[in-house]
């Protein structure tokens, strides 16, 4: 990746952006619009050896029916008691890439993660990604270490008394404040370019991803 989206995939790749500043926008919908993915990216060349960038991502599902109060205290079904909420993940990535020497680039992300499920639950987390690219005349090598410090998300819950009573009656577990960990993950790749003719080239690539 050698454009503004490298801030997400491999921050070291930001060094190969073609312009002094680049912007990127994307909106995608899944499962007939049930889930939505939004992306915004910006990169700026700081000097001839370094580039900075910011990326913002949201992935969520909106208008989820909350049916915990569907049945009133008299046992009657009342559809007017249905409310709606969203469940979404947000990420803010601050990226930096620098050329160390000819052919060797390094980069990193500091990221803030926020997850929210209506007014019931939310979490905040922080993490760091590191990457390195090495390029020769025909070969390219890349490695990305995601969540190198282990990304920690701290969850907090706010369950109102009416919802708590429904959970108890229906045998659902009442969630408690907790911590979610995302362990480090290593992604590696190597590629080689073959020039077939003056107009055609072939690029082969091999990737590996740690479990």
């Amino acid at each position: 990746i050698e454009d503004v989206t490298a801030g997400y995939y491999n921050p070291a790749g930001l060094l190969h952006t073609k312009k002094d500043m680049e912007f990127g926008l994307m909106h995608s919908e899944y499962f007939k619009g049930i889930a939505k993915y939004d992306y915004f990216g910006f990169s700026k060349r700081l000097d001839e050896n370094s580039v900075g960038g910011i990326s913002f991502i949201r992935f969520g599902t909106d208008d989820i029916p909350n049916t915990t109060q569907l049945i009133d205290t008299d046992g009657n079904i009342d559809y007017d008691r249905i409310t709606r909420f969203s469940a979404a993940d947000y990420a803010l990535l601050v990226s930096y890439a620098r050329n160390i020497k000819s052919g060797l680039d390094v980069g990193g992300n500091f990221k803030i993660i926020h997850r929210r499920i209506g007014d019931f639950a939310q979490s905040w987390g922080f993490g760091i990604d590191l990457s390195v690219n090495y390029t020769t005349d025909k070969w390219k090598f890349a490695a990305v270490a995601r969540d190198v410090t282990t990304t920690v998300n701290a969850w907090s819950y706010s369950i109102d008394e009416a919802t708590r009573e429904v959970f108890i009656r229906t045998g659902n577990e009442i969630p408690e404040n907790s911590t979610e960990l995302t362990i480090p993950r290593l992604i590696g790749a190597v590629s080689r370019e073959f020039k077939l003719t003056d107009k055609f080239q072939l690029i082969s690539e091999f990737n590996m991803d740690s479990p």
Side-chain angles (χ1 to χ4, degrees):
I1 303 296
E2 297 182 346
D3 57 28
V4 65
T5 60
Y8 172 80
Y9 292 104
N10 180 343
L14 287 172
L15 284 162
H16 298 280
T17 53
K18 302 298 188 296
K19 298 181 180 179
D20 183 62
M21 288 191 296
E22 286 193 7
F23 294 88
L25 289 171
M26 188 184 81
H27 173 77
S28 180
E29 298 188 5
Y30 302 89
F31 311 112
K32 294 187 177 181
I34 294 177
K36 298 178 176 64
Y37 181 94
D38 296 288
Y39 163 85
F40 166 77
F42 167 74
S43 68
K44 173 72 170 67
R45 186 164 295 277
L46 305 176
D47 54 48
E48 65 178 28
N49 291 318
S50 60
V51 177
I54 294 177
S55 303
F56 177 77
I57 299 167
R58 179 189 186 270
F59 181 70
T61 301
D62 303 310
D63 294 324
I64 304 172
N66 176 10
T67 59
T68 57
Q69 306 304 315
L70 175 62
I71 301 176
D72 63 22
T73 54
D74 297 324
N76 300 313
I77 295 177
D78 185 354
Y79 291 102
D80 292 333
R81 293 165 62 91
I82 295 178
T83 57
R84 295 181 180 276
F85 65 96
S86 297
D89 294 347
Y90 303 84
L92 175 66
L93 283 67
V94 180
S95 307
Y96 178 76
R98 186 169 185 83
N99 174 252
I100 301 301
K101 63 179 182 178
S102 179
L104 180 61
D105 305 326
V106 297
N109 288 329
F110 174 74
K111 54 189 180 183
I112 302 174
I113 310 296
H114 178 56
R115 293 175 175 171
R116 191 172 190 89
I117 305 175
D119 295 326
F120 320 122
Q122 64 174 335
S123 75
W124 287 95
F126 306 89
I128 294 176
D129 302 330
L130 297 176
S131 69
V132 59
N133 290 342
Y134 180 69
T135 304
T136 65
D137 290 340
K138 296 181 180 180
W139 291 89
K140 292 184 178 181
F141 303 87
V144 180
R146 296 194 184 276
D147 306 294
V148 291
T149 57
T150 300
T151 297
V152 179
N153 278 281
W155 280 94
S156 61
Y157 299 90
S158 178
I159 308 296
D160 60 72
E161 193 59 35
T163 302
R164 186 180 296 270
E165 291 178 2
V166 172
F167 277 24
I168 294 173
R169 289 200 310 267
T170 55
N172 284 283
E173 181 180 351
I174 298 176
E176 299 179 353
N177 294 352
S178 59
T179 300
E180 178 185 6
L181 302 178
T182 303
I183 62 173
R185 175 185 169 198
L186 180 63
I187 303 170
V190 57
S191 67
R192 189 182 190 282
E193 180 180 311
F194 298 90
K195 185 175 181 180
L196 303 180
T197 68
D198 291 339
K199 295 184 178 180
F200 292 95
Q201 294 176 325
L202 172 66
I203 298 178
S204 60
E205 182 176 337
F206 173 79
N207 295 277
M208 66 175 183
D209 190 347
S210 65

